[in-house]
Amino acid sequence: MRQLLQARQLFDTAVRIGCATLLLLGSLMPLAGFAQEGAAVAKLADLMLILREAPGSNKLDDIIVPAEPLSAADTGWFDYLGDMQLRFVFDAGASLRDASAGDLHSLQLSPSQAVRVALQNIKRVYGEPEVRRGNGGLMLIQGRSADFSASYLLDKELWQQLLTQAPGGLVVAAPKRGGLLFTPLADGKSVERLRKLIVPLQASSEQGKLSSALYLFKDGRWTIFQAPSGE
């Protein structure tokens, strides 16, 4: 009887240990999952986008396609519109790290989804774009970060809102990092001013130059209004 009692106690102890082990393992497994998910969320929260010059290009529509000659498997760079290239980056505060197509895949984002996330992150960290009146009838759009101010070009909700005040269309310039210039298409004098200013403005910033083209936003999409200077 004593041996039976001892055996039962040993068995019960083993069961309790086993259950505790299973409970511990069960608790660790979701924690590991949460850790991985947390890392992905943190990475997702740092995803942003910048625009850069693509010399010699003149893409006629705003459909995002992988940049050539690099393949989508190699880079998070995409040809966007005119002579501009869209690049996804991770904002580390003091520096920017290029995002790869593999990063977008791991985050389960298509390029268009990545644009939406990146714009949300830019606004969350650097604020909503500010629209100001500039010189000569031109309007200026800027954010709190010069690196990302031109990125607001991809914020179609912003442009749709601005279009309500100028239903005929908006002519927009992105000559260099730090801001966007625009004017209603109906304002002929300001449009002509942009035509004359765009090339010298773009050339005035060697490190921050962006696009020498003018763009038209109308009917919810972008088209080329004036081709890049190299065309």
Side-chain angles (χ1 to χ4, degrees):
M1 179 67 74
R2 182 178 297 177
Q3 290 177 343
L4 178 61
L5 182 59
Q6 289 175 341
R8 182 176 293 175
Q9 289 173 339
L10 286 172
F11 180 82
D12 291 343
T13 301
V15 168
R16 286 197 299 272
I17 293 174
C19 289
T21 303
L22 288 173
L23 286 171
L24 179 61
L25 289 174
S27 64
L28 287 176
M29 289 173 66
L31 283 175
F34 286 144
Q36 293 176 353
E37 183 179 344
V41 169
K43 204 172 185 182
L44 191 70
D46 294 336
L47 182 68
M48 298 188 185
L49 65 86
I50 55 177
L51 291 175
R52 290 295 182 261
E53 181 189 22
S57 297
N58 185 24
K59 190 169 173 294
L60 299 180
D61 58 51
D62 58 358
I63 299 172
I64 301 170
V65 296
E68 297 293 344
L70 298 174
S71 69
D74 299 324
T75 178
W77 297 5
F78 295 82
D79 290 329
Y80 177 52
L81 177 68
D83 54 351
M84 293 187 295
Q85 193 175 79
L86 184 161
R87 302 182 184 181
F88 291 105
V89 296
F90 291 109
D91 182 16
S95 62
L96 300 177
R97 179 178 70 81
D98 282 339
S100 68
D103 288 323
L104 300 185
H105 180 74
S106 68
L107 294 172
Q108 301 181 342
L109 295 175
S110 68
S112 59
Q113 290 171 331
V115 167
R116 288 195 293 272
V117 171
L119 287 173
Q120 289 170 358
N121 289 339
I122 290 171
K123 292 177 181 179
R124 173 176 50 81
V125 176
Y126 297 106
E128 294 285 337
E130 295 184 8
V131 181
R132 304 173 183 172
R133 185 170 295 279
N135 295 326
L138 300 179
M139 303 296 290
L140 176 66
I141 290 181
Q142 286 182 312
R144 293 203 301 264
S145 169
D147 280 327
F148 299 111
S149 288
S151 303
Y152 294 119
L153 189 78
L154 285 96
D155 186 359
K156 288 190 175 181
E157 291 183 2
L158 166 67
W159 295 103
Q160 280 293 149
Q161 185 177 13
L162 292 171
L163 202 61
T164 61
Q165 303 172 36
L170 296 165
V171 179
V172 183
K176 53 187 177 180
R177 284 175 258 172
L180 300 165
L181 292 170
F182 74 94
T183 187
L185 177 62
D187 186 346
K189 289 185 178 180
S190 294
V191 170
E192 187 60 28
R193 182 175 174 80
L194 267 185
R195 285 186 185 274
K196 294 178 179 179
L197 285 176
I198 182 61
V199 173
L201 275 176
Q202 194 243 15
S204 68
S205 178
E206 184 60 36
Q207 296 298 319
K209 67 169 55 177
L210 187 49
S211 175
S212 62
L214 293 179
Y215 303 97
L216 177 66
F217 187 77
K218 186 177 181 180
D219 300 326
R221 64 190 182 96
W222 290 103
T223 55
I224 304 294
F225 182 75
Q226 178 174 294
S229 60
E231 290 296 308

